[in-house]
């Protein structure tokens, strides 16, 4: 870090519009892919939920049987939507926060295409019955390696841009982005290596899987979503972040406890008790980053006068960031005292995961997509109505899905804990909750379609100038380097 | 925290630490367990599955059965698994030493299958249950696995073939299991974890109880 480029001088050199333009195509590609996979994934989720209360629905078709559709849904949402949305946000946020144009944008574009191809291939593999049988790792190794490769290419572009940064100070979001960019390829390759390619013996495969699921939730998804929250919070409130120290505390405690809590997912499983205890203890300590994050958000939000609130993103940021402490508390509650005896193996854990993926990370990513889309395409959204509709439908969907799974888990778990109640009698009470979850999936899906249409419309209105620029970009005419030369010549 | 290498090194340290705690330590504790010689059965436990059951394990994985069924029995004090008759003892790491992939499962939309081979040994009942779960368990909401069976409409007065399921399975049709269905049933029949182990013994049934002598004399 020997160079002494100064913030104030260089900041005036690169104007934000140029930065936005430089990351336009890779980011549009990633966000388009993200929204498409979200819609495809939620359609599969809706179908799988219908199949739960109507077991005869499409029963003849092997490819859409419940046991294949369900993992395909989660994989499409995680690797298709969440990964791409997170990568799109990272590219743009890192360029903006480094005050330089995006570097290696062509490589990022190729990475985005590879990622989409990998998810498509992987989801088809799962539907064809080639699943590995591990939660969130159902995509077989071929599809997964394409996904990791694509992710790494996009991450390379982001990291190289960060390396060439003009702004010396690393903003809070950059720490979280670094974590998210590095942890994903690391977790994927490690987990696939130890559970699929060269599988460890016996129950260790389940341990690796638990570590993976927990790491993907707390290290990767949470880091990415927090980066978005820490970036957008000052933007939508028009106030600087209240405390960098508490953000620092949040970051380090999250990356330490988030990894160690892996074994808590194996609660009461076939492992020595002390190992499970370590995992549960670490999970309780996640309350520390959750508290630091929440305090920071609330202070920033409510202290002093809010000046902005102009854009479409602020309600997403508000609801998304407040979902994190709720998600952590729900997760911790299920490990305290006698709770696992009733909540374990019920839909309660599904409720938590849906809340984390759609409520916390999903809302923040959607807010960021709307915020960034306006800027990279250079035109404000003409109407706010679609966003209000999207937000309301999404909130309704998230509350219905997570609420049904959580309450269903509590109710069925309570009955199952009593051995005199027959299993069928207990599980048939689940039908009501699954029906309301189906309604939730429908609402969530409708909301996403509305958002996708709004984004497409805004894309179409800017299409004339954009198309020309896209062809230029494809032909390699306009790279940041050539720009610099042009400026030097001028 | 304005140095990227510093953040990077911190991250690597944190993640490596968690790898040590969440994967290396458990591997040290249970990952290298050998097969255990059990005196009661005179054999090493767990025994490998036979070929058909091994194929059935692949069908189990491919159909995503793990989405709704677990294969783990909790200790008696932690839940009702033992009381429900899902197993006579808790499952321990040893029970999974021959499984690949290990299908522990984390959600019980259907019952636990650890000992389903002991609980439901009949091939016919298992096949009918796969074809249409409602034939066996009326309230079940398990999906039908019709596509694991050949289904053919019978001509008038034609008799179904010998390996067909009973006529009441689907009136007027001949339903015969495909090889996958037979393999899956063989796998289900092979599922049992109730061999007594040193670290997970079976509860001893106390039968001939000696009555304690009464302290008070009968009048």
């Amino acid at each position: 870090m020997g160079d002494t480029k100064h913030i104030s001088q260089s900041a005036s050199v690169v104007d934000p519009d140029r930065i936005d333009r430089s990351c336009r195509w890779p980011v549009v590609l990633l966000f388009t892919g993200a929204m498409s996979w979200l819609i495809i994934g939620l359609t599969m989720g809706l179908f799988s939920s219908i199949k739960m209360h109507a077991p005869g629905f499409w029963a003849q078709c092997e490819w859409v049987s419940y046991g294949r559709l369900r993992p395909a849904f989660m994989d499409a949402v995680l690797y298709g939507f969440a990964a791409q949305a997170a990568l799109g946000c990272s590219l743009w946020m890192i360029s903006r926060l480094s005050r330089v144009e995006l570097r290696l944008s062509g490589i990022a574009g190729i990475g985005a295409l590879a990622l989409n191809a990998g998810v498509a291939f992987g989801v088809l593999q799962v539907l064809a019955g080639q699943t590995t049988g591990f939660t969130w790792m159902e995509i077989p190794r071929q599809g997964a390696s394409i996904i990791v490769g694509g992710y790494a290419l996009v991450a390379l572009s982001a990291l190289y841009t960060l390396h060439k940064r003009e702004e010396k100070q690393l903003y809070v979001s950059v720490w979280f982005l670094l974590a998210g960019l590095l942890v994903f390829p690391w977790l994927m390759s490690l987990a696939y290596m130890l559970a699929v390619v060269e599988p460890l013996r016996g129950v260790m495969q389940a341990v690796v899987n638990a570590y993976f699921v927990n790491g993907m939730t707390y290290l990767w998804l949470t880091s990415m979503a927090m980066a978005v929250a820490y970036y957008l919070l000052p933007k939508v409130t028009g106030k600087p972040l209240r405390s960098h120290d508490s953000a620092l505390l949040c970051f380090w405690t999250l990356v330490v406890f988030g990894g160690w809590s892996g074994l808590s997912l194996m609660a009461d499983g076939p492992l020595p008790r002390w190992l499970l205890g370590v995992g549960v203890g670490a999970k309780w300590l996640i309350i520390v980053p959750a508290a630091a994050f929440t305090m920071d958000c609330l202070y920033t939000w409510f202290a002093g006068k809010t000046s902005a609130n102009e854009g479409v993103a602020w309600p997403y940021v508000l609801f998304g960031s407040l979902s994190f402490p709720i998600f952590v508390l729900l997760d911790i509650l299920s490990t305290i005292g006698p709770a696992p005896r009733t909540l374990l193996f019920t839909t309660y854990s599904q409720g938590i995961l849906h809340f984390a993926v759609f409520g916390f990370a999903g809302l923040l990513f959607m807010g960021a997509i709307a915020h960034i889309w306006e800027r990279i395409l250079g035109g404000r959204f003409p109407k706010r109505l679609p966003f209000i509709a999207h937000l309301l439908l999404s909130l309704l969907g998230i509350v219905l899905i997570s609420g049904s799974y959580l309450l269903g888990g509590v109710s069925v778990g309570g009955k199952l804990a009593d051995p005199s109640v027959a299993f069928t009698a207990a599980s048939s009470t689940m039908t009501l909750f699954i029906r309301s979850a189906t309604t939730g999936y429908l609402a969530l899906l409708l909301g996403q379609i509305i958002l996708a249409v709004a984004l497409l419309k805004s894309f179409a209105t800017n299409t004339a100038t954009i198309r020309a620029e896209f062809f230029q970009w494809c032909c390699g005419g306009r790279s940041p380097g050539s720009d610099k030369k042009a400026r030097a010549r001028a | 925290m304005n140095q990227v290498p510093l953040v990077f090194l911190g991250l690597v340290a944190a993640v490596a630490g968690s790898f040590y705690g969440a994967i290396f330590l458990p591997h040290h504790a249970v990952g290298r367990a050998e097969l255990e010689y059990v005196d009661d059965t005179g054999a090493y436990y767990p025994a490998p599955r036979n070929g058909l059951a091994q194929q059935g394990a692949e069908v189990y994985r491919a159909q995503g059965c793990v989405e709704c069924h677990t294969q783990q029995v909790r200790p008696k004090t932690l839940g009702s698994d033992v009381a429900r008759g899902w197993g006579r003892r808790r499952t321990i790491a040893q029970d999974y030493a021959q499984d690949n992939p290990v299908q522990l499962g984390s959600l019980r939309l259907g019952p636990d299958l650890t000992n389903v081979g002991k609980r439901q040994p009949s091939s016919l009942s298992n096949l009918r249950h796969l074809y249409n779960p409602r034939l066996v368990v009326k309230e079940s909401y398990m999906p039908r696995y019709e596509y694991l069976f050949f289904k053919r409409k019978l001509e008038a007065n034609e008799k179904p073939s010998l390996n067909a399921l009973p006529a009441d399975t689907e009136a007027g049709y001949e339903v015969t299991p495909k090889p996958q269905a037979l393999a899956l049933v063989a796998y289900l029949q092979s599922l049992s974890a109730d061999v007594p182990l040193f670290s997970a013994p079976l509860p001893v049934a106390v039968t001939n109880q000696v009555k304690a002598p009464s302290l008070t004399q009968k009048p």
Side-chain angles (χ1 to χ4, degrees), chain A residues 1 131 133 170 186 201-202 205 211 345-346 416 418 421, chain B residues 2-3 15 18 33 61-62 80 84 100 102-103 107-108:
Chain A
M1 295 291 117
T131 158
L170 282 188
W186 185 82
R201 182 111 160 266
Q205 296 176 7
Y211 180 69
F345 306 135
T346 66
L416 281 179
D418 176 7
V421 180
Chain B
N2 288 329
Q3 306 268 332
V15 173
S18 70
R61 172 189 60 74
S80 61
R84 276 185 186 282
N100 186 24
V102 173
Q103 303 278 274
L107 187 57
R108 280 179 183 163

PDB file of all heavy atoms in Angstrom, chain A residues 1 131 133 170 186 201-202 205 211 345-346 416 418 421, chain B residues 2-3 15 18 33 61-62 80 84 100 102-103 107-108:
ATOM      1  N   MET A   1       0.839  -1.206   0.000  1.00  0.00           N
ATOM      2  CA  MET A   1       0.000   0.000   0.000  1.00  0.00           C
ATOM      3  C   MET A   1       0.865   1.245   0.000  1.00  0.00           C
ATOM      4  O   MET A   1       0.661   2.175   0.759  1.00  0.00           O
ATOM      5  CB  MET A   1      -0.905   0.011   1.249  1.00  0.00           C
ATOM      6  CG  MET A   1      -1.916  -1.108   1.296  1.00  0.00           C
ATOM      7  SD  MET A   1      -3.176  -0.929   0.050  1.00  0.00           S
ATOM      8  CE  MET A   1      -2.894  -2.390  -0.933  1.00  0.00           C
ATOM      9  N   THR A 131     -29.011 -35.577  -8.371  1.00  0.00           N
ATOM     10  CA  THR A 131     -28.663 -34.818  -7.174  1.00  0.00           C
ATOM     11  C   THR A 131     -27.618 -35.542  -6.316  1.00  0.00           C
ATOM     12  O   THR A 131     -27.538 -36.764  -6.342  1.00  0.00           O
ATOM     13  CB  THR A 131     -29.926 -34.559  -6.349  1.00  0.00           C
ATOM     14  OG1 THR A 131     -29.556 -34.301  -5.022  1.00  0.00           O
ATOM     15  CG2 THR A 131     -30.819 -35.776  -6.340  1.00  0.00           C
ATOM     16  N   GLY A 133     -27.688 -35.291  -3.085  1.00  0.00           N
ATOM     17  CA  GLY A 133     -28.377 -35.683  -1.864  1.00  0.00           C
ATOM     18  C   GLY A 133     -28.019 -34.849  -0.649  1.00  0.00           C
ATOM     19  O   GLY A 133     -28.433 -35.181   0.447  1.00  0.00           O
ATOM     20  N   LEU A 170     -11.116   2.197   3.136  1.00  0.00           N
ATOM     21  CA  LEU A 170     -11.999   1.076   2.807  1.00  0.00           C
ATOM     22  C   LEU A 170     -13.285   1.255   3.601  1.00  0.00           C
ATOM     23  O   LEU A 170     -13.274   1.196   4.829  1.00  0.00           O
ATOM     24  CB  LEU A 170     -11.367  -0.252   3.215  1.00  0.00           C
ATOM     25  CG  LEU A 170     -10.283  -0.851   2.347  1.00  0.00           C
ATOM     26  CD1 LEU A 170      -9.966  -2.242   2.849  1.00  0.00           C
ATOM     27  CD2 LEU A 170     -10.688  -0.902   0.902  1.00  0.00           C
ATOM     28  N   TRP A 186     -14.597 -20.567  -1.729  1.00  0.00           N
ATOM     29  CA  TRP A 186     -13.901 -21.396  -0.743  1.00  0.00           C
ATOM     30  C   TRP A 186     -14.847 -22.446  -0.172  1.00  0.00           C
ATOM     31  O   TRP A 186     -14.522 -23.636  -0.142  1.00  0.00           O
ATOM     32  CB  TRP A 186     -13.344 -20.495   0.361  1.00  0.00           C
ATOM     33  CG  TRP A 186     -12.520 -21.257   1.330  1.00  0.00           C
ATOM     34  CD1 TRP A 186     -11.215 -21.618   1.192  1.00  0.00           C
ATOM     35  CD2 TRP A 186     -12.944 -21.794   2.580  1.00  0.00           C
ATOM     36  NE1 TRP A 186     -10.806 -22.336   2.264  1.00  0.00           N
ATOM     37  CE2 TRP A 186     -11.841 -22.455   3.135  1.00  0.00           C
ATOM     38  CE3 TRP A 186     -14.137 -21.769   3.274  1.00  0.00           C
ATOM     39  CZ2 TRP A 186     -11.909 -23.089   4.359  1.00  0.00           C
ATOM     40  CZ3 TRP A 186     -14.205 -22.412   4.493  1.00  0.00           C
ATOM     41  CH2 TRP A 186     -13.092 -23.053   5.034  1.00  0.00           C
ATOM     42  N   ARG A 201     -15.734 -40.218   5.432  1.00  0.00           N
ATOM     43  CA  ARG A 201     -16.445 -41.418   5.818  1.00  0.00           C
ATOM     44  C   ARG A 201     -17.685 -41.084   6.630  1.00  0.00           C
ATOM     45  O   ARG A 201     -17.659 -40.254   7.525  1.00  0.00           O
ATOM     46  CB  ARG A 201     -15.486 -42.250   6.658  1.00  0.00           C
ATOM     47  CG  ARG A 201     -16.046 -43.539   7.102  1.00  0.00           C
ATOM     48  CD  ARG A 201     -15.340 -44.672   6.397  1.00  0.00           C
ATOM     49  NE  ARG A 201     -15.529 -45.899   7.145  1.00  0.00           N
ATOM     50  CZ  ARG A 201     -14.649 -46.309   8.041  1.00  0.00           C
ATOM     51  NH1 ARG A 201     -13.557 -45.624   8.254  1.00  0.00           N
ATOM     52  NH2 ARG A 201     -14.877 -47.407   8.713  1.00  0.00           N
ATOM     53  N   GLY A 202     -18.788 -41.780   6.306  1.00  0.00           N
ATOM     54  CA  GLY A 202     -19.983 -41.782   7.140  1.00  0.00           C
ATOM     55  C   GLY A 202     -20.524 -40.420   7.488  1.00  0.00           C
ATOM     56  O   GLY A 202     -20.677 -39.550   6.634  1.00  0.00           O
ATOM     57  N   GLN A 205     -19.840 -36.637   6.289  1.00  0.00           N
ATOM     58  CA  GLN A 205     -20.433 -35.976   5.123  1.00  0.00           C
ATOM     59  C   GLN A 205     -21.542 -35.026   5.570  1.00  0.00           C
ATOM     60  O   GLN A 205     -21.659 -33.912   5.054  1.00  0.00           O
ATOM     61  CB  GLN A 205     -21.016 -37.020   4.169  1.00  0.00           C
ATOM     62  CG  GLN A 205     -19.971 -37.938   3.585  1.00  0.00           C
ATOM     63  CD  GLN A 205     -20.595 -39.012   2.720  1.00  0.00           C
ATOM     64  OE1 GLN A 205     -21.788 -39.009   2.447  1.00  0.00           O
ATOM     65  NE2 GLN A 205     -19.782 -39.941   2.271  1.00  0.00           N
ATOM     66  N   TYR A 211     -21.864 -27.619   7.910  1.00  0.00           N
ATOM     67  CA  TYR A 211     -20.917 -26.492   7.893  1.00  0.00           C
ATOM     68  C   TYR A 211     -21.157 -25.625   6.667  1.00  0.00           C
ATOM     69  O   TYR A 211     -21.134 -24.397   6.731  1.00  0.00           O
ATOM     70  CB  TYR A 211     -19.494 -27.053   7.886  1.00  0.00           C
ATOM     71  CG  TYR A 211     -18.401 -26.005   7.867  1.00  0.00           C
ATOM     72  CD1 TYR A 211     -18.182 -25.187   8.971  1.00  0.00           C
ATOM     73  CD2 TYR A 211     -17.585 -25.837   6.756  1.00  0.00           C
ATOM     74  CE1 TYR A 211     -17.188 -24.243   8.962  1.00  0.00           C
ATOM     75  CE2 TYR A 211     -16.587 -24.892   6.740  1.00  0.00           C
ATOM     76  CZ  TYR A 211     -16.386 -24.096   7.843  1.00  0.00           C
ATOM     77  OH  TYR A 211     -15.402 -23.146   7.828  1.00  0.00           O
ATOM     78  N   PHE A 345     -36.450 -31.047  13.217  1.00  0.00           N
ATOM     79  CA  PHE A 345     -37.037 -31.866  12.146  1.00  0.00           C
ATOM     80  C   PHE A 345     -38.436 -31.416  11.736  1.00  0.00           C
ATOM     81  O   PHE A 345     -39.151 -32.136  11.075  1.00  0.00           O
ATOM     82  CB  PHE A 345     -37.101 -33.358  12.521  1.00  0.00           C
ATOM     83  CG  PHE A 345     -35.790 -33.930  12.955  1.00  0.00           C
ATOM     84  CD1 PHE A 345     -35.681 -34.744  14.057  1.00  0.00           C
ATOM     85  CD2 PHE A 345     -34.642 -33.634  12.240  1.00  0.00           C
ATOM     86  CE1 PHE A 345     -34.465 -35.269  14.448  1.00  0.00           C
ATOM     87  CE2 PHE A 345     -33.427 -34.159  12.620  1.00  0.00           C
ATOM     88  CZ  PHE A 345     -33.336 -34.966  13.725  1.00  0.00           C
ATOM     89  N   THR A 346     -38.876 -30.232  12.185  1.00  0.00           N
ATOM     90  CA  THR A 346     -40.148 -29.717  11.691  1.00  0.00           C
ATOM     91  C   THR A 346     -39.850 -28.630  10.657  1.00  0.00           C
ATOM     92  O   THR A 346     -38.692 -28.346  10.360  1.00  0.00           O
ATOM     93  CB  THR A 346     -40.971 -29.090  12.824  1.00  0.00           C
ATOM     94  OG1 THR A 346     -40.283 -27.938  13.278  1.00  0.00           O
ATOM     95  CG2 THR A 346     -41.174 -30.058  13.961  1.00  0.00           C
ATOM     96  N   LEU A 416     -45.909 -33.891  17.898  1.00  0.00           N
ATOM     97  CA  LEU A 416     -45.012 -35.031  17.715  1.00  0.00           C
ATOM     98  C   LEU A 416     -44.256 -35.359  18.993  1.00  0.00           C
ATOM     99  O   LEU A 416     -43.834 -36.498  19.195  1.00  0.00           O
ATOM    100  CB  LEU A 416     -44.012 -34.748  16.595  1.00  0.00           C
ATOM    101  CG  LEU A 416     -44.525 -34.913  15.178  1.00  0.00           C
ATOM    102  CD1 LEU A 416     -43.448 -34.579  14.185  1.00  0.00           C
ATOM    103  CD2 LEU A 416     -45.013 -36.331  14.958  1.00  0.00           C
ATOM    104  N   ASP A 418     -45.387 -35.641  21.792  1.00  0.00           N
ATOM    105  CA  ASP A 418     -46.197 -36.544  22.608  1.00  0.00           C
ATOM    106  C   ASP A 418     -46.350 -37.862  21.862  1.00  0.00           C
ATOM    107  O   ASP A 418     -47.033 -37.927  20.848  1.00  0.00           O
ATOM    108  CB  ASP A 418     -47.568 -35.891  22.849  1.00  0.00           C
ATOM    109  CG  ASP A 418     -48.503 -36.802  23.604  1.00  0.00           C
ATOM    110  OD1 ASP A 418     -48.036 -37.876  24.055  1.00  0.00           O
ATOM    111  OD2 ASP A 418     -49.678 -36.447  23.745  1.00  0.00           O
ATOM    112  N   VAL A 421     -49.704 -39.338  20.334  1.00  0.00           N
ATOM    113  CA  VAL A 421     -50.365 -38.819  19.135  1.00  0.00           C
ATOM    114  C   VAL A 421     -49.749 -39.517  17.918  1.00  0.00           C
ATOM    115  O   VAL A 421     -48.533 -39.516  17.752  1.00  0.00           O
ATOM    116  CB  VAL A 421     -50.157 -37.289  19.015  1.00  0.00           C
ATOM    117  CG1 VAL A 421     -50.840 -36.753  17.772  1.00  0.00           C
ATOM    118  CG2 VAL A 421     -50.673 -36.595  20.253  1.00  0.00           C
TER     119      VAL A 421
ATOM    120  N   ASN B   2      -7.956  -0.115   6.690  1.00  0.00           N
ATOM    121  CA  ASN B   2      -7.923   0.382   5.325  1.00  0.00           C
ATOM    122  C   ASN B   2      -6.984  -0.423   4.444  1.00  0.00           C
ATOM    123  O   ASN B   2      -6.656  -0.031   3.343  1.00  0.00           O
ATOM    124  CB  ASN B   2      -7.521   1.851   5.300  1.00  0.00           C
ATOM    125  CG  ASN B   2      -8.654   2.697   5.834  1.00  0.00           C
ATOM    126  OD1 ASN B   2      -9.813   2.326   5.675  1.00  0.00           O
ATOM    127  ND2 ASN B   2      -8.329   3.795   6.472  1.00  0.00           N
ATOM    128  N   GLN B   3      -6.519  -1.550   4.961  1.00  0.00           N
ATOM    129  CA  GLN B   3      -5.584  -2.372   4.220  1.00  0.00           C
ATOM    130  C   GLN B   3      -6.289  -3.643   3.789  1.00  0.00           C
ATOM    131  O   GLN B   3      -6.726  -4.426   4.624  1.00  0.00           O
ATOM    132  CB  GLN B   3      -4.408  -2.748   5.125  1.00  0.00           C
ATOM    133  CG  GLN B   3      -3.737  -1.558   5.775  1.00  0.00           C
ATOM    134  CD  GLN B   3      -2.584  -1.046   4.942  1.00  0.00           C
ATOM    135  OE1 GLN B   3      -1.979  -1.807   4.205  1.00  0.00           O
ATOM    136  NE2 GLN B   3      -2.296   0.235   5.042  1.00  0.00           N
ATOM    137  N   VAL B  15     -11.835 -18.035   8.999  1.00  0.00           N
ATOM    138  CA  VAL B  15     -12.447 -19.157   8.302  1.00  0.00           C
ATOM    139  C   VAL B  15     -11.670 -20.446   8.576  1.00  0.00           C
ATOM    140  O   VAL B  15     -12.251 -21.507   8.789  1.00  0.00           O
ATOM    141  CB  VAL B  15     -12.533 -18.834   6.800  1.00  0.00           C
ATOM    142  CG1 VAL B  15     -13.004 -20.032   6.040  1.00  0.00           C
ATOM    143  CG2 VAL B  15     -13.485 -17.685   6.576  1.00  0.00           C
ATOM    144  N   SER B  18     -12.646 -21.719  11.948  1.00  0.00           N
ATOM    145  CA  SER B  18     -13.939 -22.386  11.993  1.00  0.00           C
ATOM    146  C   SER B  18     -13.859 -23.746  11.303  1.00  0.00           C
ATOM    147  O   SER B  18     -14.538 -24.687  11.697  1.00  0.00           O
ATOM    148  CB  SER B  18     -15.021 -21.519  11.357  1.00  0.00           C
ATOM    149  OG  SER B  18     -14.844 -21.447   9.972  1.00  0.00           O
ATOM    150  N   ALA B  33     -13.759 -43.816  12.597  1.00  0.00           N
ATOM    151  CA  ALA B  33     -14.249 -45.004  13.320  1.00  0.00           C
ATOM    152  C   ALA B  33     -14.152 -46.230  12.423  1.00  0.00           C
ATOM    153  O   ALA B  33     -14.459 -46.190  11.245  1.00  0.00           O
ATOM    154  CB  ALA B  33     -15.696 -44.767  13.742  1.00  0.00           C
ATOM    155  N   ARG B  61     -31.598 -41.490  -3.240  1.00  0.00           N
ATOM    156  CA  ARG B  61     -30.934 -40.204  -3.404  1.00  0.00           C
ATOM    157  C   ARG B  61     -31.532 -39.434  -4.578  1.00  0.00           C
ATOM    158  O   ARG B  61     -31.860 -38.253  -4.466  1.00  0.00           O
ATOM    159  CB  ARG B  61     -29.440 -40.439  -3.653  1.00  0.00           C
ATOM    160  CG  ARG B  61     -28.654 -39.214  -4.040  1.00  0.00           C
ATOM    161  CD  ARG B  61     -27.247 -39.570  -4.466  1.00  0.00           C
ATOM    162  NE  ARG B  61     -27.201 -40.467  -5.619  1.00  0.00           N
ATOM    163  CZ  ARG B  61     -27.453 -40.118  -6.866  1.00  0.00           C
ATOM    164  NH1 ARG B  61     -27.786 -38.892  -7.145  1.00  0.00           N
ATOM    165  NH2 ARG B  61     -27.426 -41.002  -7.844  1.00  0.00           N
ATOM    166  N   ALA B  62     -31.714 -40.131  -5.717  1.00  0.00           N
ATOM    167  CA  ALA B  62     -32.164 -39.447  -6.924  1.00  0.00           C
ATOM    168  C   ALA B  62     -33.580 -38.902  -6.778  1.00  0.00           C
ATOM    169  O   ALA B  62     -33.897 -37.846  -7.320  1.00  0.00           O
ATOM    170  CB  ALA B  62     -32.093 -40.400  -8.107  1.00  0.00           C
ATOM    171  N   SER B  80     -39.386 -37.815  21.112  1.00  0.00           N
ATOM    172  CA  SER B  80     -40.251 -38.988  21.270  1.00  0.00           C
ATOM    173  C   SER B  80     -39.888 -40.116  20.307  1.00  0.00           C
ATOM    174  O   SER B  80     -40.673 -41.036  20.130  1.00  0.00           O
ATOM    175  CB  SER B  80     -41.698 -38.572  21.035  1.00  0.00           C
ATOM    176  OG  SER B  80     -41.835 -38.080  19.718  1.00  0.00           O
ATOM    177  N   ARG B  84     -41.922 -43.566  19.979  1.00  0.00           N
ATOM    178  CA  ARG B  84     -42.748 -43.813  18.798  1.00  0.00           C
ATOM    179  C   ARG B  84     -42.427 -45.122  18.118  1.00  0.00           C
ATOM    180  O   ARG B  84     -43.078 -45.482  17.149  1.00  0.00           O
ATOM    181  CB  ARG B  84     -42.504 -42.703  17.769  1.00  0.00           C
ATOM    182  CG  ARG B  84     -43.305 -41.513  18.028  1.00  0.00           C
ATOM    183  CD  ARG B  84     -43.180 -40.454  16.982  1.00  0.00           C
ATOM    184  NE  ARG B  84     -43.915 -39.339  17.514  1.00  0.00           N
ATOM    185  CZ  ARG B  84     -45.225 -39.261  17.489  1.00  0.00           C
ATOM    186  NH1 ARG B  84     -45.925 -40.181  16.876  1.00  0.00           N
ATOM    187  NH2 ARG B  84     -45.838 -38.260  18.056  1.00  0.00           N
ATOM    188  N   ASN B 100     -23.051 -43.948   1.639  1.00  0.00           N
ATOM    189  CA  ASN B 100     -22.474 -42.905   0.791  1.00  0.00           C
ATOM    190  C   ASN B 100     -23.426 -42.629  -0.361  1.00  0.00           C
ATOM    191  O   ASN B 100     -23.599 -43.499  -1.194  1.00  0.00           O
ATOM    192  CB  ASN B 100     -21.105 -43.344   0.263  1.00  0.00           C
ATOM    193  CG  ASN B 100     -20.426 -42.243  -0.498  1.00  0.00           C
ATOM    194  OD1 ASN B 100     -20.718 -41.077  -0.279  1.00  0.00           O
ATOM    195  ND2 ASN B 100     -19.557 -42.605  -1.414  1.00  0.00           N
ATOM    196  N   VAL B 102     -24.430 -40.062   2.846  1.00  0.00           N
ATOM    197  CA  VAL B 102     -25.180 -40.191   4.091  1.00  0.00           C
ATOM    198  C   VAL B 102     -26.436 -39.319   3.981  1.00  0.00           C
ATOM    199  O   VAL B 102     -26.343 -38.139   3.699  1.00  0.00           O
ATOM    200  CB  VAL B 102     -24.320 -39.729   5.278  1.00  0.00           C
ATOM    201  CG1 VAL B 102     -25.143 -39.690   6.539  1.00  0.00           C
ATOM    202  CG2 VAL B 102     -23.144 -40.661   5.460  1.00  0.00           C
ATOM    203  N   GLN B 103     -27.592 -39.941   4.167  1.00  0.00           N
ATOM    204  CA  GLN B 103     -28.851 -39.207   4.003  1.00  0.00           C
ATOM    205  C   GLN B 103     -29.519 -39.004   5.363  1.00  0.00           C
ATOM    206  O   GLN B 103     -30.565 -39.594   5.626  1.00  0.00           O
ATOM    207  CB  GLN B 103     -29.771 -39.961   3.042  1.00  0.00           C
ATOM    208  CG  GLN B 103     -29.151 -40.198   1.685  1.00  0.00           C
ATOM    209  CD  GLN B 103     -29.270 -38.984   0.786  1.00  0.00           C
ATOM    210  OE1 GLN B 103     -30.249 -38.782   0.107  1.00  0.00           O
ATOM    211  NE2 GLN B 103     -28.254 -38.149   0.798  1.00  0.00           N
ATOM    212  N   LEU B 107     -35.680 -32.832   7.951  1.00  0.00           N
ATOM    213  CA  LEU B 107     -37.098 -32.458   7.986  1.00  0.00           C
ATOM    214  C   LEU B 107     -37.918 -33.737   7.990  1.00  0.00           C
ATOM    215  O   LEU B 107     -37.633 -34.665   7.236  1.00  0.00           O
ATOM    216  CB  LEU B 107     -37.410 -31.617   6.735  1.00  0.00           C
ATOM    217  CG  LEU B 107     -38.780 -30.976   6.637  1.00  0.00           C
ATOM    218  CD1 LEU B 107     -39.031 -30.093   7.843  1.00  0.00           C
ATOM    219  CD2 LEU B 107     -38.863 -30.139   5.376  1.00  0.00           C
ATOM    220  N   ARG B 108     -38.930 -33.774   8.896  1.00  0.00           N
ATOM    221  CA  ARG B 108     -39.766 -34.976   8.969  1.00  0.00           C
ATOM    222  C   ARG B 108     -41.171 -34.651   8.530  1.00  0.00           C
ATOM    223  O   ARG B 108     -42.066 -34.505   9.351  1.00  0.00           O
ATOM    224  CB  ARG B 108     -39.777 -35.515  10.391  1.00  0.00           C
ATOM    225  CG  ARG B 108     -38.551 -36.323  10.723  1.00  0.00           C
ATOM    226  CD  ARG B 108     -38.599 -36.813  12.139  1.00  0.00           C
ATOM    227  NE  ARG B 108     -37.385 -37.543  12.472  1.00  0.00           N
ATOM    228  CZ  ARG B 108     -37.011 -37.795  13.715  1.00  0.00           C
ATOM    229  NH1 ARG B 108     -37.747 -37.387  14.715  1.00  0.00           N
ATOM    230  NH2 ARG B 108     -35.888 -38.459  13.942  1.00  0.00           N
TER     231      ARG B 108
END
